[in-house]
Amino acid sequence: MEKFTQLHTTAVPLPIEDVDTDQIIPARFLKATTREGFGDNLFRDWRYHPDGTPVRDFVLNNDHYKGELLVAGRNFGCGSSREHAAWAIQDFGFRVVISSFFADIFQANSLNNGLLPIRVSPAFLDRIFQAIEKDATAVFTIDLANQQVTIESSGESEYFEINSYKKMCLIEGYDDIDFLLSLRPQIAEYESSGAQL
Amino acid sequence: MTLFDKIWNAHIVAHAAGGQEVFYIDRHFIHEVTSPQAFDGLRQRGIPVFRPAQTIATADHNVPTKHQELPIQEPLSRFQVDTLSENCAAFGVELYGLGHQHQGIVHVIGPELGITQPGMTIVCGDSHTSTHGAFGCIAFGIGTSQVEQVLATQCILQTKPKQMRITVDGILPKGVLSKDIILYIIAKLTASGGTGYFVEYAGSAIRALSMEARMTICNMSIEMGARGGLIAPDATTFDYLQGRPYAPQGADWDAAVARWETLYSDADAQFDTEYTFDAADIEPMITFGTNPGMGIKINGHIPRLDEVDSPKNFQKSLDYMGFAAGDSLLGKSIQHVFIGSCTNSRIEDLRLVADFVKGRSIAPHVQAMIVPGSKQVEQQVIREGLDVIFRTAGFDFREPGCSACLGMNEDKIPQDAYCVSTSNRNFEGRQGPGARTILASPLIAAACAVAGKIVDVREMN
Ligand code: SF4
């Protein structure tokens, strides 16, 4: 997993609530057996007309908005457990998603891939959207070590929560599986202890 | 302690940093769509599946529902299903693949084979794993990275969720099914009202339900954002399980039941949040929007814009559906009906549909398909002659799979068409690009197929 410490970036705004994983990556694009290439179909049905031509006013087709930060409305990533949603967002080039509320499984999937989901207050989310609306090239700083998001144009910042273990994994580029594999003897011991119901 | 606490505590192998637990998984289901990258991960690390006997595989999401005896036509789908077979063979995992008598939707076959048992922890790379909670299990969906972790170590890292209890007491009115109960609850709590929680369903109305009806409720826990939902096991649970292929037998059965009988929330158990509903208030439900929380009583009205929290998002959703705020749905023409999915494709669902459509026919402009949840359900339908009733009424009775629930195979609903569906998600494009999904119970779906429009089944007899 790629290490994550700090990021200065412009942002892509998606002020829509309840964005579900079927919008992020529709099921008909889940036929691949590798993790790569899902970015091409990120938000496919919002991004392209049925005939394959781009939807002009969808934000990913608007050259004014670029950057490694996606800012979205509340309850982002609800719906299915498909990790393809996190892969698609990451493959497209995003490293951070900010929202005021994330669905559980999406959040876990993102963290397991080094994509950082940041939950901010609804008021701060509005401030971020306003900053982007005012200036599409507004820069944001995400400082994982200090758990801070800053709107550079105004200097406003907000602290965000992240599980301390998950934070360490992101900073070190470390996966859960490395840790779990090191516990296999203990897991075997648990199995023979008869603790299960 | 709550039922959830009892099962949770018994599955902690070790405590990890950040309040996480190393959480042991008893049963792991896999399917063709969310497992290939996990097996690749094992290959890259050069490690085997740690406990192959605890993982069971089936092909369901991406399989055709016609002519399953022939090779899959679509090359990418064929490749994905073949990859599952190769991975299972290479890593020693039991596979109930296409054509096998145990094949079917993963959340239908687990219970029907008796693999799902009270007190277990169950995961699968699919959010509707919550279905298995009906047996008194902690069951939830995981992503592919975690599928790999379970394959490699039989464990994942978890932080304990908050707990919610939803009690439904009283007697359900006639024509109201368990699907209506859960659509009613989600409409009350919204599509994110359960996020961060695990839910226990309790109360006399829940206790009175069959196992299949309970599964429908637990299945849709994720649609209010909850990781999972569970119901304390009881005599109904034990009767359902006894004699199933994977269920314990003889003295082991008696010992298992004695253990399972201890699985309930104690009288003084504490929940972070509690809701209580009166079964008598529940009526047949239907959705009008693009998330499962956007549901109303079938004879009700879509809320007005001044009654909702986010009018802009609400309007976007209505625009997609082609409905107007304040409208009634009754009488609106529909073109498709889908009866199937891990929510409502079991034999009781299909018996109910058969019972209703017997002697009736579907409206000429409607295309209606019935997709059984598993090979066993399909065989039972045929044994009971229900397939003849379905076909006589004009339904397309197909072979088992997820089908139009997610539109991954060719079973798609066309652009702009309305489909009354017994599945669990009405997201934009879920059943095909531009498709408009209206969620309902199997009974309402059958009635709409016959009427060719949205009807209240209670007015059709
Ligand atoms: S039937 Fe639908 S919801 Fe159920 S497992 Fe299949 S795709 Fe998922």
PDB file of all heavy atoms in Angstrom, chain A residues 80, chain B residues 31 60-61 105-107 126-129 131 219 223 338 340-343 345 401-407 423-425 430, ligand 1:
ATOM      1  N   SER A  80     -23.601  -1.410  -1.861  1.00  0.00           N
ATOM      2  CA  SER A  80     -22.937  -2.714  -1.876  1.00  0.00           C
ATOM      3  C   SER A  80     -21.538  -2.645  -1.272  1.00  0.00           C
ATOM      4  O   SER A  80     -20.980  -1.569  -1.076  1.00  0.00           O
ATOM      5  CB  SER A  80     -22.883  -3.253  -3.302  1.00  0.00           C
ATOM      6  OG  SER A  80     -21.661  -2.923  -3.918  1.00  0.00           O
TER       7      SER A  80
ATOM      8  N   HIS B  31     -18.081 -15.576  -3.848  1.00  0.00           N
ATOM      9  CA  HIS B  31     -18.684 -15.709  -5.181  1.00  0.00           C
ATOM     10  C   HIS B  31     -17.717 -15.139  -6.215  1.00  0.00           C
ATOM     11  O   HIS B  31     -16.667 -14.600  -5.871  1.00  0.00           O
ATOM     12  CB  HIS B  31     -20.065 -15.047  -5.222  1.00  0.00           C
ATOM     13  CG  HIS B  31     -20.058 -13.587  -4.934  1.00  0.00           C
ATOM     14  ND1 HIS B  31     -19.769 -12.643  -5.877  1.00  0.00           N
ATOM     15  CD2 HIS B  31     -20.275 -12.901  -3.773  1.00  0.00           C
ATOM     16  CE1 HIS B  31     -19.823 -11.447  -5.335  1.00  0.00           C
ATOM     17  NE2 HIS B  31     -20.119 -11.563  -4.054  1.00  0.00           N
ATOM     18  N   ASP B  60     -23.099 -16.842  -8.682  1.00  0.00           N
ATOM     19  CA  ASP B  60     -24.468 -16.338  -8.655  1.00  0.00           C
ATOM     20  C   ASP B  60     -24.646 -14.950  -9.285  1.00  0.00           C
ATOM     21  O   ASP B  60     -25.583 -14.722 -10.032  1.00  0.00           O
ATOM     22  CB  ASP B  60     -24.993 -16.296  -7.198  1.00  0.00           C
ATOM     23  CG  ASP B  60     -24.102 -15.479  -6.256  1.00  0.00           C
ATOM     24  OD1 ASP B  60     -23.074 -14.945  -6.705  1.00  0.00           O
ATOM     25  OD2 ASP B  60     -24.427 -15.377  -5.053  1.00  0.00           O
ATOM     26  N   HIS B  61     -23.719 -14.028  -9.051  1.00  0.00           N
ATOM     27  CA  HIS B  61     -23.940 -12.643  -9.465  1.00  0.00           C
ATOM     28  C   HIS B  61     -23.918 -12.462 -10.985  1.00  0.00           C
ATOM     29  O   HIS B  61     -24.608 -11.617 -11.527  1.00  0.00           O
ATOM     30  CB  HIS B  61     -22.855 -11.732  -8.858  1.00  0.00           C
ATOM     31  CG  HIS B  61     -23.095 -11.378  -7.429  1.00  0.00           C
ATOM     32  ND1 HIS B  61     -23.116 -12.309  -6.432  1.00  0.00           N
ATOM     33  CD2 HIS B  61     -23.349 -10.186  -6.833  1.00  0.00           C
ATOM     34  CE1 HIS B  61     -23.354 -11.704  -5.272  1.00  0.00           C
ATOM     35  NE2 HIS B  61     -23.501 -10.416  -5.489  1.00  0.00           N
ATOM     36  N   ILE B 105     -28.051 -18.244  -5.173  1.00  0.00           N
ATOM     37  CA  ILE B 105     -27.590 -16.995  -4.577  1.00  0.00           C
ATOM     38  C   ILE B 105     -26.985 -17.336  -3.212  1.00  0.00           C
ATOM     39  O   ILE B 105     -27.589 -18.069  -2.414  1.00  0.00           O
ATOM     40  CB  ILE B 105     -28.743 -15.992  -4.407  1.00  0.00           C
ATOM     41  CG1 ILE B 105     -29.428 -15.722  -5.752  1.00  0.00           C
ATOM     42  CG2 ILE B 105     -28.235 -14.683  -3.807  1.00  0.00           C
ATOM     43  CD1 ILE B 105     -30.676 -14.862  -5.651  1.00  0.00           C
ATOM     44  N   VAL B 106     -25.837 -16.787  -2.969  1.00  0.00           N
ATOM     45  CA  VAL B 106     -25.050 -17.169  -1.795  1.00  0.00           C
ATOM     46  C   VAL B 106     -25.866 -17.076  -0.490  1.00  0.00           C
ATOM     47  O   VAL B 106     -25.768 -17.948   0.375  1.00  0.00           O
ATOM     48  CB  VAL B 106     -23.738 -16.335  -1.776  1.00  0.00           C
ATOM     49  CG1 VAL B 106     -23.998 -14.848  -1.760  1.00  0.00           C
ATOM     50  CG2 VAL B 106     -22.833 -16.732  -0.665  1.00  0.00           C
ATOM     51  N   HIS B 107     -26.729 -16.078  -0.388  1.00  0.00           N
ATOM     52  CA  HIS B 107     -27.498 -15.913   0.857  1.00  0.00           C
ATOM     53  C   HIS B 107     -28.747 -16.775   0.889  1.00  0.00           C
ATOM     54  O   HIS B 107     -29.463 -16.807   1.884  1.00  0.00           O
ATOM     55  CB  HIS B 107     -27.865 -14.442   1.065  1.00  0.00           C
ATOM     56  CG  HIS B 107     -26.692 -13.549   0.874  1.00  0.00           C
ATOM     57  ND1 HIS B 107     -25.500 -13.766   1.540  1.00  0.00           N
ATOM     58  CD2 HIS B 107     -26.488 -12.480   0.070  1.00  0.00           C
ATOM     59  CE1 HIS B 107     -24.630 -12.849   1.134  1.00  0.00           C
ATOM     60  NE2 HIS B 107     -25.203 -12.069   0.253  1.00  0.00           N
ATOM     61  N   ASP B 126     -20.103  -9.376   0.107  1.00  0.00           N
ATOM     62  CA  ASP B 126     -21.414  -8.964  -0.394  1.00  0.00           C
ATOM     63  C   ASP B 126     -22.197  -8.387   0.774  1.00  0.00           C
ATOM     64  O   ASP B 126     -22.306  -9.025   1.819  1.00  0.00           O
ATOM     65  CB  ASP B 126     -22.159 -10.173  -0.967  1.00  0.00           C
ATOM     66  CG  ASP B 126     -23.458  -9.740  -1.604  1.00  0.00           C
ATOM     67  OD1 ASP B 126     -24.425  -9.466  -0.869  1.00  0.00           O
ATOM     68  OD2 ASP B 126     -23.496  -9.653  -2.837  1.00  0.00           O
ATOM     69  N   SER B 127     -22.742  -7.183   0.583  1.00  0.00           N
ATOM     70  CA  SER B 127     -23.334  -6.488   1.728  1.00  0.00           C
ATOM     71  C   SER B 127     -24.586  -7.171   2.278  1.00  0.00           C
ATOM     72  O   SER B 127     -24.941  -6.967   3.431  1.00  0.00           O
ATOM     73  CB  SER B 127     -23.662  -5.049   1.336  1.00  0.00           C
ATOM     74  OG  SER B 127     -24.533  -5.041   0.238  1.00  0.00           O
ATOM     75  N   HIS B 128     -25.247  -7.995   1.488  1.00  0.00           N
ATOM     76  CA  HIS B 128     -26.468  -8.653   1.982  1.00  0.00           C
ATOM     77  C   HIS B 128     -26.193  -9.911   2.782  1.00  0.00           C
ATOM     78  O   HIS B 128     -27.108 -10.688   3.074  1.00  0.00           O
ATOM     79  CB  HIS B 128     -27.445  -8.893   0.835  1.00  0.00           C
ATOM     80  CG  HIS B 128     -27.948  -7.591   0.298  1.00  0.00           C
ATOM     81  ND1 HIS B 128     -27.432  -7.019  -0.835  1.00  0.00           N
ATOM     82  CD2 HIS B 128     -28.838  -6.712   0.795  1.00  0.00           C
ATOM     83  CE1 HIS B 128     -28.014  -5.845  -1.030  1.00  0.00           C
ATOM     84  NE2 HIS B 128     -28.863  -5.628  -0.051  1.00  0.00           N
ATOM     85  N   THR B 129     -24.944 -10.084   3.163  1.00  0.00           N
ATOM     86  CA  THR B 129     -24.585 -11.161   4.082  1.00  0.00           C
ATOM     87  C   THR B 129     -25.373 -11.021   5.381  1.00  0.00           C
ATOM     88  O   THR B 129     -25.556 -11.989   6.119  1.00  0.00           O
ATOM     89  CB  THR B 129     -23.062 -11.114   4.340  1.00  0.00           C
ATOM     90  OG1 THR B 129     -22.415 -11.102   3.078  1.00  0.00           O
ATOM     91  CG2 THR B 129     -22.576 -12.293   5.139  1.00  0.00           C
ATOM     92  N   THR B 131     -28.289 -11.126   5.719  1.00  0.00           N
ATOM     93  CA  THR B 131     -29.394 -12.099   5.658  1.00  0.00           C
ATOM     94  C   THR B 131     -29.258 -13.204   6.708  1.00  0.00           C
ATOM     95  O   THR B 131     -30.231 -13.612   7.343  1.00  0.00           O
ATOM     96  CB  THR B 131     -29.398 -12.786   4.265  1.00  0.00           C
ATOM     97  OG1 THR B 131     -29.275 -11.796   3.255  1.00  0.00           O
ATOM     98  CG2 THR B 131     -30.649 -13.608   4.056  1.00  0.00           C
ATOM     99  N   ASN B 219     -31.945  -9.327   5.700  1.00  0.00           N
ATOM    100  CA  ASN B 219     -31.330  -9.032   4.401  1.00  0.00           C
ATOM    101  C   ASN B 219     -31.204  -7.543   4.154  1.00  0.00           C
ATOM    102  O   ASN B 219     -30.182  -7.049   3.687  1.00  0.00           O
ATOM    103  CB  ASN B 219     -32.191  -9.685   3.307  1.00  0.00           C
ATOM    104  CG  ASN B 219     -31.758  -9.323   1.898  1.00  0.00           C
ATOM    105  OD1 ASN B 219     -32.166  -8.308   1.358  1.00  0.00           O
ATOM    106  ND2 ASN B 219     -30.905 -10.146   1.311  1.00  0.00           N
ATOM    107  N   GLU B 223     -29.672  -1.711   4.069  1.00  0.00           N
ATOM    108  CA  GLU B 223     -30.319  -0.615   3.328  1.00  0.00           C
ATOM    109  C   GLU B 223     -30.647   0.582   4.222  1.00  0.00           C
ATOM    110  O   GLU B 223     -31.044   1.629   3.740  1.00  0.00           O
ATOM    111  CB  GLU B 223     -31.561  -1.102   2.582  1.00  0.00           C
ATOM    112  CG  GLU B 223     -31.331  -2.282   1.659  1.00  0.00           C
ATOM    113  CD  GLU B 223     -30.150  -2.141   0.726  1.00  0.00           C
ATOM    114  OE1 GLU B 223     -29.750  -1.007   0.424  1.00  0.00           O
ATOM    115  OE2 GLU B 223     -29.603  -3.186   0.338  1.00  0.00           O
ATOM    116  N   PHE B 338     -39.958  -7.944 -11.548  1.00  0.00           N
ATOM    117  CA  PHE B 338     -38.882  -8.901 -11.249  1.00  0.00           C
ATOM    118  C   PHE B 338     -39.147  -9.509  -9.872  1.00  0.00           C
ATOM    119  O   PHE B 338     -39.171  -8.805  -8.867  1.00  0.00           O
ATOM    120  CB  PHE B 338     -37.525  -8.192 -11.254  1.00  0.00           C
ATOM    121  CG  PHE B 338     -36.394  -9.048 -10.743  1.00  0.00           C
ATOM    122  CD1 PHE B 338     -36.034 -10.226 -11.393  1.00  0.00           C
ATOM    123  CD2 PHE B 338     -35.683  -8.699  -9.595  1.00  0.00           C
ATOM    124  CE1 PHE B 338     -34.994 -11.028 -10.920  1.00  0.00           C
ATOM    125  CE2 PHE B 338     -34.638  -9.493  -9.112  1.00  0.00           C
ATOM    126  CZ  PHE B 338     -34.291 -10.656  -9.779  1.00  0.00           C
ATOM    127  N   GLY B 340     -37.481 -12.063  -7.452  1.00  0.00           N
ATOM    128  CA  GLY B 340     -36.244 -12.807  -7.244  1.00  0.00           C
ATOM    129  C   GLY B 340     -35.373 -12.075  -6.253  1.00  0.00           C
ATOM    130  O   GLY B 340     -35.854 -11.233  -5.498  1.00  0.00           O
ATOM    131  N   SER B 341     -34.077 -12.403  -6.233  1.00  0.00           N
ATOM    132  CA  SER B 341     -33.034 -11.830  -5.379  1.00  0.00           C
ATOM    133  C   SER B 341     -32.977 -12.482  -4.009  1.00  0.00           C
ATOM    134  O   SER B 341     -33.917 -13.164  -3.592  1.00  0.00           O
ATOM    135  CB  SER B 341     -33.182 -10.311  -5.196  1.00  0.00           C
ATOM    136  OG  SER B 341     -33.986 -10.033  -4.082  1.00  0.00           O
ATOM    137  N   CYS B 342     -31.880 -12.223  -3.300  1.00  0.00           N
ATOM    138  CA  CYS B 342     -31.697 -12.838  -1.984  1.00  0.00           C
ATOM    139  C   CYS B 342     -32.707 -12.322  -0.970  1.00  0.00           C
ATOM    140  O   CYS B 342     -32.805 -12.850   0.127  1.00  0.00           O
ATOM    141  CB  CYS B 342     -30.271 -12.605  -1.492  1.00  0.00           C
ATOM    142  SG  CYS B 342     -29.799 -10.871  -1.450  1.00  0.00           S
ATOM    143  N   THR B 343     -33.484 -11.297  -1.338  1.00  0.00           N
ATOM    144  CA  THR B 343     -34.519 -10.798  -0.441  1.00  0.00           C
ATOM    145  C   THR B 343     -35.787 -11.649  -0.526  1.00  0.00           C
ATOM    146  O   THR B 343     -36.380 -11.985   0.498  1.00  0.00           O
ATOM    147  CB  THR B 343     -34.875  -9.334  -0.792  1.00  0.00           C
ATOM    148  OG1 THR B 343     -33.681  -8.631  -1.047  1.00  0.00           O
ATOM    149  CG2 THR B 343     -35.637  -8.660   0.321  1.00  0.00           C
ATOM    150  N   SER B 345     -36.700 -14.703  -2.962  1.00  0.00           N
ATOM    151  CA  SER B 345     -36.693 -15.699  -4.049  1.00  0.00           C
ATOM    152  C   SER B 345     -36.762 -17.100  -3.495  1.00  0.00           C
ATOM    153  O   SER B 345     -36.365 -18.052  -4.138  1.00  0.00           O
ATOM    154  CB  SER B 345     -35.416 -15.552  -4.859  1.00  0.00           C
ATOM    155  OG  SER B 345     -34.309 -15.853  -4.023  1.00  0.00           O
ATOM    156  N   GLY B 401     -30.056 -17.323  -9.874  1.00  0.00           N
ATOM    157  CA  GLY B 401     -28.952 -16.366  -9.905  1.00  0.00           C
ATOM    158  C   GLY B 401     -29.447 -15.016  -9.412  1.00  0.00           C
ATOM    159  O   GLY B 401     -30.623 -14.845  -9.107  1.00  0.00           O
ATOM    160  N   CYS B 402     -28.525 -14.059  -9.359  1.00  0.00           N
ATOM    161  CA  CYS B 402     -28.881 -12.714  -8.890  1.00  0.00           C
ATOM    162  C   CYS B 402     -29.686 -11.956  -9.945  1.00  0.00           C
ATOM    163  O   CYS B 402     -30.532 -11.127  -9.621  1.00  0.00           O
ATOM    164  CB  CYS B 402     -27.628 -11.932  -8.548  1.00  0.00           C
ATOM    165  SG  CYS B 402     -26.752 -12.597  -7.129  1.00  0.00           S
ATOM    166  N   SER B 403     -29.373 -12.185 -11.195  1.00  0.00           N
ATOM    167  CA  SER B 403     -30.211 -11.711 -12.292  1.00  0.00           C
ATOM    168  C   SER B 403     -30.451 -10.208 -12.266  1.00  0.00           C
ATOM    169  O   SER B 403     -29.535  -9.423 -12.032  1.00  0.00           O
ATOM    170  CB  SER B 403     -31.522 -12.513 -12.261  1.00  0.00           C
ATOM    171  OG  SER B 403     -32.414 -12.129 -13.260  1.00  0.00           O
ATOM    172  N   ALA B 404     -31.689  -9.799 -12.484  1.00  0.00           N
ATOM    173  CA  ALA B 404     -32.021  -8.378 -12.619  1.00  0.00           C
ATOM    174  C   ALA B 404     -31.941  -7.621 -11.298  1.00  0.00           C
ATOM    175  O   ALA B 404     -32.197  -6.427 -11.268  1.00  0.00           O
ATOM    176  CB  ALA B 404     -33.410  -8.213 -13.225  1.00  0.00           C
ATOM    177  N   CYS B 405     -31.563  -8.271 -10.215  1.00  0.00           N
ATOM    178  CA  CYS B 405     -31.351  -7.528  -8.972  1.00  0.00           C
ATOM    179  C   CYS B 405     -30.237  -6.516  -9.168  1.00  0.00           C
ATOM    180  O   CYS B 405     -30.315  -5.403  -8.672  1.00  0.00           O
ATOM    181  CB  CYS B 405     -30.993  -8.472  -7.831  1.00  0.00           C
ATOM    182  SG  CYS B 405     -30.492  -7.580  -6.352  1.00  0.00           S
ATOM    183  N   LEU B 406     -29.197  -6.912  -9.897  1.00  0.00           N
ATOM    184  CA  LEU B 406     -28.095  -5.973 -10.112  1.00  0.00           C
ATOM    185  C   LEU B 406     -27.720  -5.792 -11.576  1.00  0.00           C
ATOM    186  O   LEU B 406     -26.828  -5.012 -11.888  1.00  0.00           O
ATOM    187  CB  LEU B 406     -26.869  -6.345  -9.272  1.00  0.00           C
ATOM    188  CG  LEU B 406     -25.818  -7.323  -9.817  1.00  0.00           C
ATOM    189  CD1 LEU B 406     -24.560  -7.262  -8.986  1.00  0.00           C
ATOM    190  CD2 LEU B 406     -26.340  -8.712  -9.905  1.00  0.00           C
ATOM    191  N   GLY B 407     -28.401  -6.504 -12.455  1.00  0.00           N
ATOM    192  CA  GLY B 407     -28.199  -6.269 -13.884  1.00  0.00           C
ATOM    193  C   GLY B 407     -26.779  -6.489 -14.360  1.00  0.00           C
ATOM    194  O   GLY B 407     -26.270  -5.773 -15.208  1.00  0.00           O
ATOM    195  N   SER B 423     -36.512  -7.113  -5.116  1.00  0.00           N
ATOM    196  CA  SER B 423     -35.124  -7.060  -4.649  1.00  0.00           C
ATOM    197  C   SER B 423     -34.974  -5.993  -3.565  1.00  0.00           C
ATOM    198  O   SER B 423     -35.970  -5.555  -2.982  1.00  0.00           O
ATOM    199  CB  SER B 423     -34.202  -6.820  -5.840  1.00  0.00           C
ATOM    200  OG  SER B 423     -34.586  -5.647  -6.529  1.00  0.00           O
ATOM    201  N   ASN B 424     -33.775  -5.540  -3.321  1.00  0.00           N
ATOM    202  CA  ASN B 424     -33.539  -4.701  -2.148  1.00  0.00           C
ATOM    203  C   ASN B 424     -32.996  -3.311  -2.452  1.00  0.00           C
ATOM    204  O   ASN B 424     -32.824  -2.507  -1.555  1.00  0.00           O
ATOM    205  CB  ASN B 424     -32.566  -5.430  -1.222  1.00  0.00           C
ATOM    206  CG  ASN B 424     -31.432  -6.068  -2.004  1.00  0.00           C
ATOM    207  OD1 ASN B 424     -30.852  -5.430  -2.877  1.00  0.00           O
ATOM    208  ND2 ASN B 424     -31.149  -7.317  -1.716  1.00  0.00           N
ATOM    209  N   ARG B 425     -32.672  -3.029  -3.707  1.00  0.00           N
ATOM    210  CA  ARG B 425     -32.082  -1.726  -4.016  1.00  0.00           C
ATOM    211  C   ARG B 425     -32.761  -1.091  -5.217  1.00  0.00           C
ATOM    212  O   ARG B 425     -32.891  -1.729  -6.262  1.00  0.00           O
ATOM    213  CB  ARG B 425     -30.579  -1.855  -4.292  1.00  0.00           C
ATOM    214  CG  ARG B 425     -29.841  -2.091  -3.024  1.00  0.00           C
ATOM    215  CD  ARG B 425     -28.346  -1.977  -3.173  1.00  0.00           C
ATOM    216  NE  ARG B 425     -27.781  -2.067  -1.844  1.00  0.00           N
ATOM    217  CZ  ARG B 425     -26.709  -2.762  -1.515  1.00  0.00           C
ATOM    218  NH1 ARG B 425     -26.032  -3.391  -2.442  1.00  0.00           N
ATOM    219  NH2 ARG B 425     -26.296  -2.786  -0.271  1.00  0.00           N
ATOM    220  N   ARG B 430     -29.513   0.547 -11.097  1.00  0.00           N
ATOM    221  CA  ARG B 430     -29.198  -0.735 -10.469  1.00  0.00           C
ATOM    222  C   ARG B 430     -29.614  -1.908 -11.351  1.00  0.00           C
ATOM    223  O   ARG B 430     -28.916  -2.896 -11.479  1.00  0.00           O
ATOM    224  CB  ARG B 430     -29.917  -0.805  -9.103  1.00  0.00           C
ATOM    225  CG  ARG B 430     -29.900  -2.164  -8.424  1.00  0.00           C
ATOM    226  CD  ARG B 430     -28.609  -2.411  -7.704  1.00  0.00           C
ATOM    227  NE  ARG B 430     -28.618  -3.717  -7.039  1.00  0.00           N
ATOM    228  CZ  ARG B 430     -27.620  -4.190  -6.308  1.00  0.00           C
ATOM    229  NH1 ARG B 430     -26.537  -3.477  -6.140  1.00  0.00           N
ATOM    230  NH2 ARG B 430     -27.697  -5.366  -5.742  1.00  0.00           N
TER     231      ARG B 430
HETATM  232  S1  SF4 C   1     -29.508 -11.106  -5.267  1.00  0.00           S
HETATM  233 FE1  SF4 C   1     -28.893  -8.985  -5.480  1.00  0.00          FE
HETATM  234  S2  SF4 C   1     -28.546  -8.240  -3.450  1.00  0.00           S
HETATM  235 FE2  SF4 C   1     -28.617 -10.454  -3.343  1.00  0.00          FE
HETATM  236  S3  SF4 C   1     -26.507 -11.133  -3.447  1.00  0.00           S
HETATM  237 FE3  SF4 C   1     -27.313 -11.100  -5.530  1.00  0.00          FE
HETATM  238  S4  SF4 C   1     -26.838  -9.088  -6.320  1.00  0.00           S
HETATM  239 FE4  SF4 C   1     -26.576  -8.986  -4.116  1.00  0.00          FE
END
